[in-house]
Amino acid sequence: MEDFTPVSGLLGGLLIGLAVALLLWLNGRLAGISGIVGGLVPGGARDGWWRWAFVAGLVLGALAYVLVAGGADAVEVTASLPVLVVGGLLVGFGTRLGSGCTSGHGLCGLARSSRRSVVATAVFFGVAMLTVFVGSHVL
Amino acid sequence: MSRSGVLRSFGALVSGAIFGLGLAVSGMMNPAKVIGFLDVAGDWDPTLAFVMGGALLVTVPAFRLILGRGRPVFDRSFALPDRTAVDGRLISGAALFGVGWGMVGFCPGPAVAALATGLTPVLVFVAAMVAGMALQSCQQSALSYQRRKKAEG
């Protein structure tokens, strides 16, 4: 467990929670990233401006950290090109089909005690753990 | 854009920026670290549980307070999902997402935030993810078209 970073994890988590609460308080929206980004694809919701602003903020917030703390080196993508493409397609398709991802179901849904979100969160965490197990210990 | 539209965009920009900063600070922008959490049989890294816990520590009481108010600051009403059914669509969608998440270590938020690094693999993943979303949207409209046709006889 050499990589375990509970303090920065907790601090980052508090910031994420603050961001989610702020979007609900100001705009009345749940900060589910797949839902916000999904509304920008063709055939999505036609209320684009705030969605683009949120996505821009997401990148700018991360960029601020990268510039100040030099965090760009800390992003290690180990997946090969075909795995990135297939994985990306599955994440995009799956989160829209299942109406949410780690933020929408995992944070907003659990905070609202939504039964759908409890089930979805258990399923995607379980399946992701199984996928990693198969990928790194079986194959 | 109307005045309320400008305010809503401002609210979304600030919220998004804090979200992106939180993802970067917590280390969740790094797929290798997320896989360290998902790899329960390997050298397990419990950090992700602290991130979720920290976020829920804020959202659980905050949601109660906020939803107890009549309306949000910049809009007339709260936009909350109205579906309640735990159905095949929810479960199969979550399962497909789980496979993709486990394969790469990116879920939507961290993937978009990691665009800040300008790394090519991140761009590839986000492009594929957006294509997957568009595909689902197409499939959805094809399904509802068929259903409408059927209903019309």
Side-chain angles (χ1 to χ4, degrees):
Chain A
M1 293 207 295
E2 58 196 278
D3 295 328
F4 183 38
T5 49
V7 176
S8 57
L10 197 64
L11 182 67
L14 291 172
L15 284 170
I16 293 169
L18 177 69
V20 171
L22 201 63
L23 194 70
L24 186 69
W25 180 55
L26 294 177
N27 289 12
R29 298 281 180 159
L30 296 176
I33 312 297
S34 58
I36 293 176
V37 176
L40 292 170
V41 305
R46 292 198 183 145
D47 58 345
W49 284 111
W50 73 271
R51 292 171 192 270
W52 283 115
F54 185 90
V55 169
L58 200 57
V59 177
L60 287 174
L63 185 66
Y65 181 83
V66 168
L67 293 177
V68 174
D73 303 339
V75 174
E76 313 150 66
V77 187
T78 48
S80 63
L81 189 71
V83 172
L84 283 171
V85 172
V86 175
L89 284 169
L90 285 171
V91 168
F93 193 94
T95 50
R96 295 304 287 151
L97 184 67
S99 316
C101 57
T102 341
S103 47
H105 281 310
L107 294 178
C108 300
L110 293 190
R112 296 196 308 132
S113 334
S114 148
R115 203 163 63 96
R116 268 168 67 80
S117 293
V118 174
V119 173
T121 305
V123 170
F124 61 65
F125 265 103
V127 172
M129 283 171 172
L130 192 69
T131 305
V132 171
F133 180 78
V134 171
S136 31
H137 303 287
V138 179
L139 294 181
Chain B
M1 215 188 323
S2 63
R3 184 170 167 271
S4 57
V6 173
L7 289 174
R8 280 198 286 274
S9 294
F10 172 75
L13 181 74
V14 174
S15 166
I18 297 172
F19 204 120
L21 184 67
L23 283 170
V25 168
S26 63
M28 293 300 110
M29 210 165 78
N30 182 8
K33 194 153 175 67
V34 173
I35 288 177
F37 176 82
L38 296 173
D39 191 8
V40 280
D43 190 16
W44 193 51
D45 174 2
T47 307
L48 175 53
F50 281 71
V51 182
M52 290 284 285
L56 286 169
L57 224 53
V58 179
T59 53
V60 171
F63 271 38
R64 186 161 292 225
L65 280 171
I66 294 163
L67 293 174
R69 296 162 46 98
R71 50 174 284 187
V73 180
F74 296 153
D75 212 328
R76 281 191 209 108
S77 60
F78 294 104
L80 302 171
D82 44 16
R83 281 203 199 114
T84 52
V86 175
D87 51 14
R89 188 182 153 175
L90 178 83
I91 292 169
S92 52
L96 290 176
F97 163 42
V99 174
W101 190 26
M103 282 170 73
V104 182
F106 267 142
C107 54
V112 172
L115 286 173
T117 63
L119 295 168
T120 312
V122 180
L123 284 168
V124 171
F125 180 86
V126 171
M129 181 179 87
V130 170
M133 288 175 168
L135 215 63
Q136 200 279 326
S137 163
C138 288
Q139 186 235 17
Q140 199 56 44
S141 28
L143 274 180
S144 36
Y145 178 76
Q146 274 175 0
R147 240 178 251 136
R148 248 197 339 267
K149 275 288 211 193
K150 226 176 186 172
E152 284 168 6

